[in-house]
Amino acid sequence: MKRNNLLFLTLKVFSATGGIEKVCRVFGKSLYEYGVENNSAVQVYAMHGNRAAVDDNKYFPAEMFRSFRSQRIRCTLASVKKGCESRMVVISHINLLVIGWLIKKLSPCTQIVLFTHGIEVWHPLSRFKRKMLQGCDKIIAVSRFTADKLNELHHVSPSKLHVINNCLDPFLPLPDNEATNSGLRQRYGFKETDKVLFTLTRLSASERYKGYDLVMHAIVNLKLTHPEIRYLLSGSYDVEEKKYLDEIINRLGLSQQVVMTGYVSDEELAAHFLMADIYVMPSIKEGFGIVFIEAMYYGLPVLAGNKDGSVDALCDGKLGWLVDPLNVFEIQNAIEAMLNDKEAHKPSRELLLKHFSYDAYKLKVNNILSF
């Protein structure tokens, strides 16, 4: 009889700071706790990265983590062997699905569960990928939008689809107003009376869908009635996108309003959120948007787009303001309303934790793992 093993197969866990890596860390923690509570042997295999990153990690013990340092063949062979010994294999990304397909061929009774995050499944797939997708026993979508896309584009049966929204990292620092005394305003040249809009995202010419350029166009009019408005745009950027944004800033005359910070370390994230007045990111291709719930965790009013997974993160508008992400006037009007009455637009902490706490997430994960 097959042992009660669980395998979580990932691309990266600790060697990057993106949204999918955050999902993998928190899911790995919930998987570890499920294993302890249900006497299941759990392993996390990562195609990339190294074991050193997990040695002192708080999410799960180092002994359940194995990294293959980009050795694809070695990772594939080891994953197939381990998968065939397991009751369930959870795959973090569709790019690893071929390994799940091989496991299913060799061990039909092993359940294959695939995580789908967003844009990677929002377009037509090759015939082989569609076949592998249909072969999964369960598919987890991080938002209703992605679940609908899976059904619409790839005809995935609703009975296989399970929506599990991403959650707040249980190790996020607690909100602390003293963190605003970190000298950030002085660093960025902001006055205490300035009203700061904040966007945190990777700035890439190949992923130009976060809406920060439209926010800049909205600020052109907003600065006439709110001369104290400032826009803090944070995140690593490529050369092409930096040039593109510098041209917009110069053309619109926003050199006094917009500050691009580049990469912000995890240690300084809380201070940046607490310094800001509003979080704005009217994206059109957001799978979910963990940064939205992080911003709300720190008490910020949030503006997001209404055409993607952001709708889930804002609880259909109950936690923040949803706008047409392609309509500059809607973006402008929403920002102005928030600036005029910030307190009225702060999210409900009770509602936020009800939907996006780690405990709520873990309950949903346990339901997937238990059958």
Side-chain angles (χ1 to χ4, degrees), residues 32-226:
Y32 163 65
E33 292 172 1
Y34 176 88
V36 171
E37 294 162 7
N38 294 275
N39 196 30
S40 297
V42 176
Q43 285 286 302
V44 178
Y45 282 8
M47 177 80 76
H48 307 292
N50 59 70
R51 184 186 169 102
V54 75
D55 280 345
D56 298 318
N57 210 278
K58 51 203 172 188
Y59 293 90
F60 48 80
E63 54 265 25
M64 69 174 265
F65 178 73
R66 184 178 179 186
S67 174
F68 293 85
R69 304 188 180 194
S70 302
Q71 298 177 46
R72 296 174 186 273
I73 295 176
R74 184 164 163 256
C75 178
T76 299
L77 294 174
S79 298
V80 169
K81 181 178 184 298
K82 191 70 177 178
C84 289
E85 299 169 356
S86 302
R87 172 176 68 85
M88 179 181 288
V89 177
V90 182
I91 298 169
S92 73
H93 196 280
I94 196 170
N95 286 350
L96 293 169
L97 188 51
V98 67
I99 299 177
W101 181 78
L102 289 170
I103 293 169
K104 194 70 174 176
K105 286 292 183 184
L106 295 171
S107 176
C109 59
T110 297
Q111 291 189 64
I112 304 298
V113 181
L114 173 69
F115 258 105
T116 55
H117 305 275
I119 195 169
E120 82 277 10
V121 293
W122 292 354
H123 55 80
L125 300 173
S126 68
R127 184 177 177 182
F128 184 49
K129 273 195 174 180
R130 289 200 309 273
K131 182 178 180 180
M132 292 191 296
L133 193 68
Q134 295 293 340
C136 293
D137 296 281
K138 303 182 183 76
I139 298 176
I140 298 171
V142 300
S143 65
R144 290 168 295 168
F145 185 85
T146 292
D148 290 343
K149 285 289 187 183
L150 285 163
N151 180 253
E152 173 191 340
L153 291 175
H154 312 304
H155 310 294
V156 175
S157 169
S159 65
K160 288 187 177 184
L161 288 170
H162 302 265
V163 176
I164 301 183
N165 294 143
N166 297 325
C167 72
L168 291 160
D169 190 309
F171 300 111
L172 271 182
L174 290 171
D176 180 0
N177 289 332
E178 292 184 6
T180 59
N181 297 325
S182 62
L184 286 182
R185 284 183 176 264
Q186 183 177 358
R187 181 194 302 178
Y188 298 129
F190 296 156
K191 300 175 183 176
E192 289 299 320
T193 54
D194 285 343
K195 300 298 182 183
V196 180
L197 312 182
F198 182 37
T199 299
L200 174 68
T201 186
R202 182 172 64 176
L203 310 174
S204 171
S206 63
E207 298 179 6
R208 197 173 288 165
Y209 54 78
K210 300 290 186 175
Y212 40 76
D213 47 352
L214 295 185
V215 172
M216 291 183 194
H217 281 85
I219 290 173
V220 172
N221 289 328
L222 286 167
K223 71 176 183 176
L224 301 177
T225 53
H226 295 275

Side-chain angles (χ1 to χ4, degrees), residues 6-25:
L6 297 171
L7 174 64
F8 182 34
L9 180 59
T10 76
L11 288 167
K12 299 176 183 178
V13 182
F14 300 105
S15 57
T17 59
I20 294 178
E21 289 74 32
K22 287 183 178 182
V23 173
C24 290
R25 289 192 285 272

Side-chain angles (χ1 to χ4, degrees), residues 239-251:
V239 173
E240 185 179 348
E241 192 68 355
K242 179 66 162 60
K243 180 181 178 182
Y244 168 73
L245 292 173
D246 284 341
E247 288 173 352
I248 292 178
I249 291 167
N250 291 333
R251 186 173 74 250

Side-chain angles (χ1 to χ4, degrees), residues 265-286:
S265 68
D266 288 344
E267 292 73 23
E268 286 197 314
L269 279 181
H272 280 74
F273 280 121
L274 289 166
M275 179 190 64
D277 291 282
I278 302 169
Y279 187 83
V280 295
M281 196 169 77
S283 175
I284 59 172
K285 292 182 181 179
E286 207 66 39

